[in-house]
């Protein structure tokens, strides 16, 4: 893709899966012109172009903006830890809303601004297929703060683009920030994992998200868009895929309805999104289904026990679940990000 995007570019929230993968991809595409921002205390996430800044530190934000003078910002910052947000709403407000307020205050009005939100702005109490016209009704503090952040951007920066994503499927910096990471870590260490039959999402390869973001940075599309993959899967089905493709013990996977998980944190139901508006705006099919291979899609609750047609392994999982096999050849070589143990 040869989209001309405004540079220099800042990507915030690079400790998360979406931000980390976007930063690595865009920095490889535009060397020396893409900067990543992470929180000050996450010093192991270090390397060229990576800067520390806490979400509520306006003076530090102003310093960064004055230093880099970005022509574009991709905002991936946010705390998606559901239980932590429920127990500490002030923290959730600070990270998910105040950070957006600070960005809007420091950015020049001409800066291209893309903000990532989430499907959990919905309760999932209907049969999924949410469109941009559906009214948000989040059941969690996390979802409520993300709605507040969306409104800030749409009201104060009507030229910005707000993308509601679902589960981003890609690698993370620390090895446990993403859905694949957490589920795989349980199986890899011989520990059981319990996932829900009735929380349904539209998971998306980060390889696809990266290309969507690049295209949006290079145009002036504004407003709210849903940005989820074309295949709907429950959390239990996602865990089935990871279990079987990774070659792990099928007995480690448990399933239950979300009501059995208890009241803390509250769980959403079917929050699948209809992304046809974004697809129409970009002019073609921008997403591939996760997983790409339809033979890796569960057909029943015991599907992951069958090992007769698929010999799974962690290596296969890395090749086809963390990465989109159809996109790999078109991706640039990523620059390694350092993880020092004793220096900032």
């Amino acid at each position: 893709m040869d989209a001309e995007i405004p540079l220099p570019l800042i990507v915030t929230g690079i400790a998360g899966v979406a931000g980390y993968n976007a930063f690595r991809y865009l920095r490889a595409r535009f060397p020396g012109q893409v900067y990543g921002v992470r929180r000050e205390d996450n010093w192991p996430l270090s390397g060229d172009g990576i800067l520390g800044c806490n979400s509520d530190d306006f003076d530090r934000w102003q310093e960064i903006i004055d230093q880099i003078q970005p022509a574009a910002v991709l905002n991936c910052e946010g705390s998606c830890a559901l239980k932590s947000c429920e127990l500490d709403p002030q923290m959730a407000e600070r990270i998910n809303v105040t950070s957006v307020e600070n960005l809007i205050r420091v950015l020049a009005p001409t800066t291209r601004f893309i903000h990532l939100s989430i499907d959990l702005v919905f309760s999932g109490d209907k049969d999924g297929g949410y469109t941009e016209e559906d009214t948000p009704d989040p059941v969690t503090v996390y979802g409520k703060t993300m709605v507040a952040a969306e409104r800030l951007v749409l009201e104060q920066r009507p030229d910005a683009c707000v993308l509601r994503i679902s589960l981003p499927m890609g690698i993370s910096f620390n090895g446990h920030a993403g859905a694949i990471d957490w589920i795989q870590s349980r199986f890899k260490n011989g520990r059981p994992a319990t996932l829900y039959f009735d929380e349904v999402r539209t998971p998306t390869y980060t390889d696809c998200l990266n290309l969507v973001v690049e295209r949006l940075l290079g145009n002036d599309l504004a407003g709210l868009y849903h940005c989820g993959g074309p295949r709907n899967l429950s959390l239990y089905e996602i865990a089935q895929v990871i279990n079987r493709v990774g070659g792990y013990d099928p007995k480690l996977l448990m399933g239950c309805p979300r009501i059995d998980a208890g009241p803390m944190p509250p769980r959403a139901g079917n929050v699948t999104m209809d992304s046809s508006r974004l697809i129409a705006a970009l002019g073609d099919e921008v997403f591939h289904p996760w997983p790409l291979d339809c033979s890796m899609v569960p057909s029943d609750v015991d599907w992951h026990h069958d090992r007769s047609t698929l010999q799974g392994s962690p290596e296969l999982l890395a090749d086809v679940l963390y990465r989109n096999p159809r996109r790999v050849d078109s991706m640039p070589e990523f620059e390694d990000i350092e993880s020092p143990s004793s220096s900032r």
Side-chain angles (χ1 to χ4, degrees), residues 11-128:
V11 181
T12 73
I14 62 170
V17 174
Y20 180 67
N21 283 273
F23 172 68
R24 294 176 74 235
Y25 170 76
L26 291 166
R27 188 165 177 83
R29 289 277 287 126
F30 307 100
Q33 300 184 80
V34 178
Y35 300 84
V37 176
R38 45 80 173 160
R39 295 170 207 165
E40 289 281 6
D41 62 358
N42 195 9
W43 58 266
L45 181 46
S46 302
D48 290 341
I50 296 178
L51 305 167
C53 180
N54 292 331
S55 58
D56 58 347
D57 189 344
F58 176 80
D59 291 339
R60 174 60 176 152
W61 269 121
Q62 188 69 67
E63 179 183 328
I64 289 173
I65 298 303
D66 290 345
Q67 172 189 342
I68 297 173
Q69 299 185 6
V73 170
L74 169 61
N75 184 35
C76 307
E77 179 61 272
S79 174
C80 62
L82 298 183
K83 188 172 182 178
S84 295
C85 288
E86 293 295 319
L87 296 175
D88 191 351
Q90 291 183 332
M91 175 276 295
E93 177 80 13
R94 185 175 66 253
I95 294 176
N96 296 337
V97 184
T98 303
S99 62
V100 177
E101 291 177 332
N102 285 336
L103 270 178
I104 291 173
R105 287 175 62 195
V106 300
L107 291 182
T110 56
T111 306
R112 179 61 170 145
F113 188 32
I114 296 178
H115 172 76
L116 297 193
S117 187
I118 193 69
D119 53 3
L120 294 178
V121 299
F122 299 112
S123 67
D125 288 343
K126 56 174 271 184
D127 293 329

Side-chain angles (χ1 to χ4, degrees), residues 119-178:
D119 53 3
L120 294 178
V121 299
F122 299 112
S123 67
D125 288 343
K126 56 174 271 184
D127 293 329
Y130 285 95
T131 70
E132 293 83 352
E133 284 69 42
D134 287 310
T135 302
D137 60 341
V139 298
T140 63
V141 168
Y142 170 56
K144 292 172 184 175
T145 55
M146 296 303 280
V147 171
E150 287 182 359
R151 289 173 179 164
L152 270 174
V153 176
L154 294 171
E155 290 172 2
Q156 298 187 28
R157 286 295 304 261
D159 60 320
C161 186
V162 175
L163 296 179
R164 286 180 182 149
I165 67 171
S166 185
L167 290 174
M169 298 309 213
I171 64 171
S172 69
F173 168 70
N174 59 14
H176 58 76

